[in-house]
Amino acid sequence: MNDIVEARTLKGFRDVLPGEGLLKERLIEQVKRVFLSFGYAPIETPHLEYTDVLIRETSGDIGKQLYRFNDQGGRDVCLRFDLTVPFARFVVQHRQEVGIPFKRYAIGNVFRGEQPQFGRFREFMQCDFDFVGVESLTADAEIIEMIAAIMETIGISKFVIRMNSRRLMNGLAEALNVPEKAGDILRILDKLDKIGEEQVRAALASELALPQQTVDELLSFVAITSRSSGEEVFRSASQYKERNELMRRGLDELEKTAAILKGAGLPEDKFKVDFSVARGLGYYTGIVYETYLTDLPEIGSVCSGGRYDNLTMNFSKEKLPGVGASVGLDRLIAALQKLELMKLENTPAEVLLTLMSEQDAPQIHLLAQQLRKLGVKVEVYPEPSKLKKQFQYADRKGQAFVAIAGGEELSKGALTVKDMRGGSQETYSSVAEAAERIRKRG
Amino acid sequence: MNDIVEARTLKGFRDVLPGEGLLKERLIEQVKRVFLSFGYAPIETPHLEYTDVLIRETSGDIGKQLYRFNDQGGRDVCLRFDLTVPFARFVVQHRQEVGIPFKRYAIGNVFRGEQPQFGRFREFMQCDFDFVGVESLTADAEIIEMIAAIMETIGISKFVIRMNSRRLMNGLAEALNVPEKAGDILRILDKLDKIGEEQVRAALASELALPQQTVDELLSFVAITSRSSGEEVFRSASQYKERNELMRRGLDELEKTAAILKGAGLPEDKFKVDFSVARGLGYYTGIVYETYLTDLPEIGSVCSGGRYDNLTMNFSKEKLPGVGASVGLDRLIAALQKLELMKLENTPAEVLLTLMSEQDAPQIHLLAQQLRKLGVKVEVYPEPSKLKKQFQYADRKGQAFVAIAGGEELSKGALTVKDMRGGSQETYSSVAEAAERIRKRG
């Protein structure tokens, strides 16, 4: 006899059970539909890559989190930790085959050996879409339109996309004679919503040793977008265009992008310029954006992205600019449940078809096939059992309906359908009528 | 400046480009639709597991192919090499939460460090579906019905599911006094189609040292299913029921399963008992099956499975029988292209909408959104360029249509649609008419 091994997952890893699996697949399917409708095609890269492809030996933090080892052939390999670096490698390797400009999406798991925290795992899914090889702001606008289309498709109507410009903020830091502190300034301004103005002022003064006047100027600039919106922002900020070329260009780009979004029919309450938006990643250089749900701001941005100057600098001397964003699937799944837009269900089936005796099996399976052809998702009870047991099974799985076809009903092609929630029960003389009842659910 | 790293994938690994990516997603979406319609729910398990969960130290061949290493915490871990072992672990770990009987599907990549061969990779996708916790033959029939439904859904009408019984073949070996050679006999009989009767006879006699009479009896048994089909098989084989209990039960099970399939409306040319079918994996114990495409038998089985007695024996003393099958996605993708049922396309978009000047961008993006709402997949050219360049782009991507809205057209809401294959061009006075033309494609 074999020894018994304890059934367990690795620390920081987890299984996805049917309830979450069903939600996740539905969400992914809806997001993909948007990607495809904008002409973005799916690509895949391996989970495993050469270590020197994924990181520089000088890479700091991420290096410690890597799942890195030598494979059977002695190669130094790593599990991918994001989908961006593999994408950069992909574009350089397949530049001729895919053609530039190039639009793609990728959905896949990545691995980071971080200390596991509540709700954070060492293997998790990323969902990225990018448009590379374009300088035009129409691409920036397109990515934002896609975020709005994703929200609409998944049924979230109350959201706002907050946009800013890295170029503009670098220009501001330059105008204030602290260009080298641009990144840190943005990191602190980004906390405005969370910690409030006083604390931000304190942090700018103490952490960055900025003089009082510089702090004042920073806060007064950010105040423009907290007190105004729409075109008024650009009127209020227009004086800053004269400060330097970066500020002029940054403001121009925001204004043009906003004009395309407005023209493309995106309602004005759905996008907002916000000079406190930082967006984490270092490689953004142009317009950046985050998406917040009006009813659940505390879960953070559910979709973020921006423009970068050069995606492929590790792999090629040719510059490749582009725009891209990431959908936070896990946050969206949590949000859709909290907002009661999606319900956790343990089975995809809408109806359990009972099986009363072994000799009924062929006819019951035929009935099930007929229902499926009519668009109903049907589970057949796997063996002849007492009706009570079959109902208990349906209850446990959360089936919406149980359909019963006993001896006499079967011979007449009739079907009794019981609504497991409402409790009502009716006998239909044809499969088509029964199917209609089930599809009209609730 | 950074050094440039060569953009390359690991030996035996590869990227999936948009053409194949689009086909694959479409196929997976269709297969999933079938799974859901039978009440099978998606689950996921991690790519990385404890090594002792995935293999026994005594496991032979598979051990050498494993991607095995110590993680940051010194744990002995492995990339999964199939989806079956993790599923066994999953069921034991979540037995209470998911409830038994349990139906699931899983689609994911697995890793095997084999010597790469043409068309075989070290990372590849598996697609499994299982129904566990059931003894009843209705479950065996259901899995076969699902295979037929998958074929129908993806548009393959000419296929045959060949079924056999492990129990029956073990009974035959027992009846011939060579029970210990049952596995080897089946392995050799399985080659009948490929190497012919003479070579099979030779192999049985020389490799297994079977006496002439035993070889004759084996071949004459297998001949039953090569010369007859349908119910005739069971009439011809009925005499064998008296040889022993295994043969009796094996034949009974095949007959009952065939009766359910027939009753459920599966055409009789779509499933066939074939006593030469072996099915590779060691753990099958009951009915097994393989699926061959009538027009492409050479690509081998595209969907195979069977019944096992005890999925979870490594993790629990409680027995868990079940049935399951695997869809050969890679083979199906190849088959669908060869049979010209799916065409390789490099973009999901049906139409490229041109952009003539920067100030048109808002209106063009609005037009694109209107077309998308009408169900058309639209790509917008990313920057104002000469029409010729935009047409070249559409050509390269293989767009079916180009839609042009210049200054005057834009102001009137008109749209000129050019059919890139047929060459015809027409101007429509509304977006709805243009959308209709595009959706009527070809």
Side-chain angles (χ1 to χ4, degrees):
Chain A
M1 252 326 273
N2 276 321
D3 291 333
I4 297 298
V5 174
E6 187 201 346
R8 68 213 194 280
T9 42
L10 275 167
K11 188 184 171 194
F13 288 75
R14 68 182 189 122
D15 295 320
V16 174
L17 273 67
E20 185 187 342
L22 284 165
L23 282 194
K24 196 170 162 183
E25 296 236 324
R26 210 162 96 204
L27 178 63
I28 290 173
E29 193 265 319
Q30 292 171 328
V31 172
K32 278 184 188 172
R33 213 189 306 148
V34 174
F35 291 155
L36 296 172
S37 76
F38 278 79
Y40 287 61
I43 67 157
E44 290 173 34
T45 62
H47 287 78
L48 207 60
E49 300 257 9
Y50 281 108
T51 299
D52 69 352
V53 162
L54 296 189
I55 55 156
R56 310 256 128 190
E57 283 311 324
T58 52
S59 308
D61 278 357
I62 201 76
K64 288 176 220 141
Q65 300 178 1
L66 284 179
Y67 285 90
R68 178 176 179 175
F69 60 100
N70 289 316
D71 76 359
Q72 302 92 327
R75 298 171 199 90
D76 182 357
V77 299
C78 265
L79 286 169
R80 64 187 180 193
F81 62 88
D82 76 2
L83 300 177
T84 305
V85 178
F87 177 48
R89 196 252 320 131
F90 177 101
V91 183
V92 172
Q93 206 170 328
H94 305 290
R95 196 174 179 121
Q96 293 309 315
E97 292 151 278
V98 301
I100 304 293
F102 177 56
K103 306 175 182 192
R104 81 85 171 82
Y105 70 86
I107 301 173
N109 283 9
V110 302
F111 304 82
R112 294 184 194 174
E114 301 171 279
Q115 206 48 38
Q117 296 167 27
F118 180 75
R120 289 185 75 160
F121 295 92
R122 290 179 169 178
E123 175 175 1
F124 57 97
M125 187 171 269
Q126 287 197 334
C127 173
D128 288 5
F129 56 111
D130 287 85
F131 190 176
V132 295
V134 281
E135 307 259 10
S136 166
L137 290 170
T138 59
D140 300 71
E142 176 165 291
I143 297 283
I144 296 172
E145 288 164 30
M146 289 172 75
I147 295 176
I150 288 169
M151 293 300 138
E152 194 181 323
T153 303
I154 67 180
I156 292 182
S157 55
K158 288 160 85 180
F159 66 91
V160 60
I161 302 167
R162 292 158 59 190
M163 34 192 288
N164 196 6
S165 160
R166 273 288 164 85
R167 205 182 314 279
L168 170 68
M169 300 310 283
N170 289 340
L172 180 64
E174 191 183 293
L176 300 175
N177 290 314
V178 284
E180 75 289 356
K181 291 183 179 165
D184 286 323
I185 289 172
L186 210 42
R187 177 176 53 76
I188 293 173
L189 288 179
D190 192 44
K191 297 180 187 164
L192 209 50
D193 271 2
K194 262 188 223 145
I195 62 176
E197 186 177 326
E198 280 322 296
Q199 298 243 37
V200 163
R201 278 179 180 278
L204 290 169
S206 65
E207 275 184 53
L208 305 187
L210 296 181
Q212 188 57 42
Q213 198 199 333
T214 307
V215 172
D216 287 346
E217 290 202 62
L218 283 170
L219 269 301
S220 98
F221 183 72
V222 173
I224 294 174
T225 55
S226 47
R227 66 162 187 268
S228 58
S229 64
E231 280 150 25
E232 206 189 316
V233 165
F234 301 109
R235 278 196 298 276
S236 305
S238 64
Q239 43 166 318
Y240 286 91
K241 287 194 182 180
E242 283 140 45
R243 301 291 283 266
N244 57 39
E245 172 58 16
L246 285 176
M247 289 199 85
R248 190 198 59 73
R249 208 177 135 195
L251 283 165
D252 264 359
E253 289 172 348
L254 279 173
E255 192 166 5
K256 278 184 188 157
T257 304
I260 300 177
L261 295 175
K262 193 181 162 190
L266 193 63
E268 285 192 74
D269 60 337
K270 293 282 180 282
F271 63 100
K272 183 179 174 358
V273 175
D274 184 333
F275 294 148
S276 75
V277 165
R279 192 74 293 272
L281 292 168
Y283 61 80
Y284 291 121
T285 50
I287 291 177
V288 293
Y289 25 86
E290 298 185 330
T291 309
Y292 290 86
L293 307 185
T294 315
D295 294 328
L296 287 172
E298 67 274 16
I299 67 167
S301 174
V302 295
C303 197
S304 315
R307 172 171 285 279
Y308 37 84
D309 264 348
N310 191 7
L311 177 70
T312 53
M313 63 176 184
N314 285 353
F315 306 105
S316 169
K317 284 180 178 159
E318 225 168 315
K319 269 203 169 187
L320 191 73
V323 275
S326 232
V327 184
L329 292 175
D330 288 331
R331 286 181 179 182
L332 280 177
I333 289 173
L336 289 165
Q337 287 181 75
K338 278 192 186 166
L339 297 172
E340 294 181 354
L341 293 168
M342 276 191 184
K343 239 182 60 200
L344 211 60
E345 286 175 346
N346 290 317
T347 171
E350 295 154 297
V351 60
L352 176 76
L353 190 54
T354 60
L355 182 64
M356 306 307 284
S357 81
E358 207 187 294
Q359 77 243 36
D360 287 353
Q363 271 179 284
I364 290 291
H365 278 228
L366 178 62
L367 255 182
Q369 273 304 91
Q370 290 167 338
L371 283 167
R372 287 184 195 114
K373 292 229 161 99
L374 293 164
V376 178
K377 301 194 190 79
V378 188
E379 191 176 356
V380 179
Y381 196 79
E383 52 210 348
S385 309
K386 284 192 180 142
L387 208 48
K388 194 182 162 193
K389 197 178 161 196
Q390 303 192 42
F391 268 96
Q392 279 168 347
Y393 175 86
D395 239 1
R396 183 160 53 77
K397 293 271 173 181
Q399 305 274 9
F401 295 95
V402 173
I404 310 136
E408 209 190 328
E409 278 161 334
L410 258 190
S411 63
K412 290 191 293 189
L415 199 57
T416 298
V417 176
K418 175 160 184 172
D419 179 340
M420 294 293 282
R421 283 147 206 184
S424 68
Q425 178 170 321
E426 202 162 332
T427 301
Y428 299 90
S429 58
S430 77
V431 180
E433 283 170 60
E436 202 177 334
R437 168 69 189 99
I438 293 164
R439 288 170 56 192
K440 261 201 221 127
R441 205 167 165 171
Chain B
M1 254 324 275
N2 276 321
D3 292 335
I4 297 298
V5 174
E6 188 200 347
R8 68 211 194 281
T9 43
L10 275 167
K11 187 182 171 193
F13 288 75
R14 68 181 189 123
D15 295 320
V16 174
L17 272 67
E20 186 187 342
L22 284 165
L23 281 192
K24 196 170 161 183
E25 296 236 325
R26 210 162 97 203
L27 178 63
I28 290 173
E29 193 266 319
Q30 291 171 330
V31 172
K32 277 184 188 172
R33 214 190 305 149
V34 174
F35 292 155
L36 296 173
S37 76
F38 278 80
Y40 287 61
I43 67 157
E44 289 172 35
T45 62
H47 287 79
L48 206 61
E49 299 256 12
Y50 281 108
T51 299
D52 69 352
V53 162
L54 295 190
I55 56 156
R56 309 256 127 191
E57 283 311 324
T58 52
S59 308
D61 277 358
I62 201 75
K64 287 176 221 141
Q65 300 177 2
L66 284 180
Y67 285 91
R68 177 177 180 174
F69 60 100
N70 289 316
D71 75 359
Q72 302 92 326
R75 299 170 199 91
D76 182 357
V77 299
C78 264
L79 285 170
R80 65 187 181 194
F81 61 88
D82 75 2
L83 300 178
T84 305
V85 180
F87 177 47
R89 197 252 320 130
F90 177 101
V91 183
V92 171
Q93 205 170 329
H94 305 291
R95 196 174 181 122
Q96 292 310 316
E97 292 151 277
V98 301
I100 303 293
F102 178 54
K103 308 175 179 190
R104 82 85 170 83
Y105 70 87
I107 302 173
N109 284 9
V110 302
F111 304 81
R112 294 184 193 173
E114 303 172 279
Q115 207 46 40
Q117 295 168 26
F118 180 75
R120 289 186 74 159
F121 295 91
R122 290 179 167 177
E123 175 176 1
F124 57 98
M125 188 171 269
Q126 288 197 335
C127 172
D128 288 5
F129 55 109
D130 287 85
F131 190 175
V132 295
V134 281
E135 307 257 11
S136 165
L137 291 170
T138 59
D140 300 73
E142 176 165 293
I143 295 282
I144 296 172
E145 288 164 30
M146 288 171 78
I147 295 176
I150 288 169
M151 292 300 140
E152 195 181 321
T153 303
I154 66 179
I156 292 182
S157 56
K158 289 162 82 181
F159 66 91
V160 61
I161 301 167
R162 292 159 58 191
M163 33 192 287
N164 196 7
S165 160
R166 273 286 165 86
R167 205 181 316 277
L168 170 68
M169 299 311 282
N170 288 340
L172 180 65
E174 190 182 294
L176 299 176
N177 289 315
V178 282
E180 76 290 354
K181 292 183 178 166
D184 285 325
I185 289 172
L186 209 43
R187 177 176 54 76
I188 294 173
L189 289 178
D190 192 44
K191 297 181 188 164
L192 209 51
D193 270 1
K194 263 188 222 144
I195 63 175
E197 185 175 329
E198 279 323 297
Q199 299 244 37
V200 163
R201 279 180 179 277
L204 289 169
S206 65
E207 275 183 52
L208 305 188
L210 296 181
Q212 189 57 43
Q213 199 198 330
T214 308
V215 173
D216 286 345
E217 291 201 61
L218 283 170
L219 269 302
S220 98
F221 183 71
V222 173
I224 295 173
T225 55
S226 48
R227 68 163 185 267
S228 59
S229 63
E231 280 149 26
E232 207 188 316
V233 166
F234 300 109
R235 279 196 299 276
S236 306
S238 65
Q239 43 166 318
Y240 286 90
K241 287 193 184 181
E242 284 140 45
R243 301 293 282 267
N244 57 39
E245 172 59 14
L246 284 177
M247 290 199 85
R248 190 198 58 72
R249 209 177 134 194
L251 282 165
D252 263 0
E253 288 173 347
L254 278 174
E255 193 166 4
K256 278 184 188 158
T257 304
I260 300 177
L261 294 176
K262 192 180 163 190
L266 194 63
E268 286 192 75
D269 61 338
K270 294 281 180 282
F271 63 100
K272 183 178 176 358
V273 175
D274 184 333
F275 294 147
S276 75
V277 165
R279 192 75 292 272
L281 294 168
Y283 60 80
Y284 290 122
T285 50
I287 290 178
V288 292
Y289 24 87
E290 298 185 331
T291 309
Y292 289 87
L293 307 186
T294 314
D295 293 329
L296 287 173
E298 67 274 17
I299 66 166
S301 173
V302 294
C303 197
S304 315
R307 172 172 285 279
Y308 37 83
D309 264 349
N310 193 6
L311 177 70
T312 53
M313 63 175 182
N314 284 353
F315 306 105
S316 168
K317 283 179 179 160
E318 227 169 316
K319 268 204 169 186
L320 191 74
V323 277
S326 232
V327 184
L329 292 176
D330 288 332
R331 287 182 178 181
L332 279 177
I333 289 174
L336 289 165
Q337 286 181 77
K338 279 193 185 164
L339 297 171
E340 296 181 352
L341 294 168
M342 275 192 185
K343 239 181 61 199
L344 210 61
E345 285 177 347
N346 290 317
T347 171
E350 295 155 296
V351 60
L352 176 76
L353 189 54
T354 61
L355 181 65
M356 307 305 286
S357 81
E358 206 187 295
Q359 76 243 40
D360 288 351
Q363 271 180 284
I364 290 290
H365 278 230
L366 178 62
L367 255 181
Q369 273 304 90
Q370 290 167 337
L371 284 167
R372 287 184 195 112
K373 291 230 161 98
L374 294 164
V376 178
K377 301 194 191 78
V378 188
E379 191 175 357
V380 179
Y381 196 79
E383 51 210 348
S385 309
K386 287 194 178 138
L387 209 48
K388 194 181 161 194
K389 196 177 161 196
Q390 302 192 41
F391 269 96
Q392 280 168 347
Y393 175 85
D395 240 3
R396 182 160 54 76
K397 292 272 172 178
Q399 305 274 10
F401 295 94
V402 173
I404 309 135
E408 210 191 330
E409 279 161 333
L410 259 191
S411 62
K412 289 191 294 187
L415 201 55
T416 298
V417 177
K418 174 159 185 174
D419 179 339
M420 294 293 283
R421 284 148 205 183
S424 68
Q425 178 171 321
E426 201 161 332
T427 300
Y428 298 91
S429 59
S430 77
V431 180
E433 284 171 60
E436 202 179 333
R437 167 69 190 98
I438 293 165
R439 289 171 56 192
K440 261 200 219 127
R441 205 167 165 169

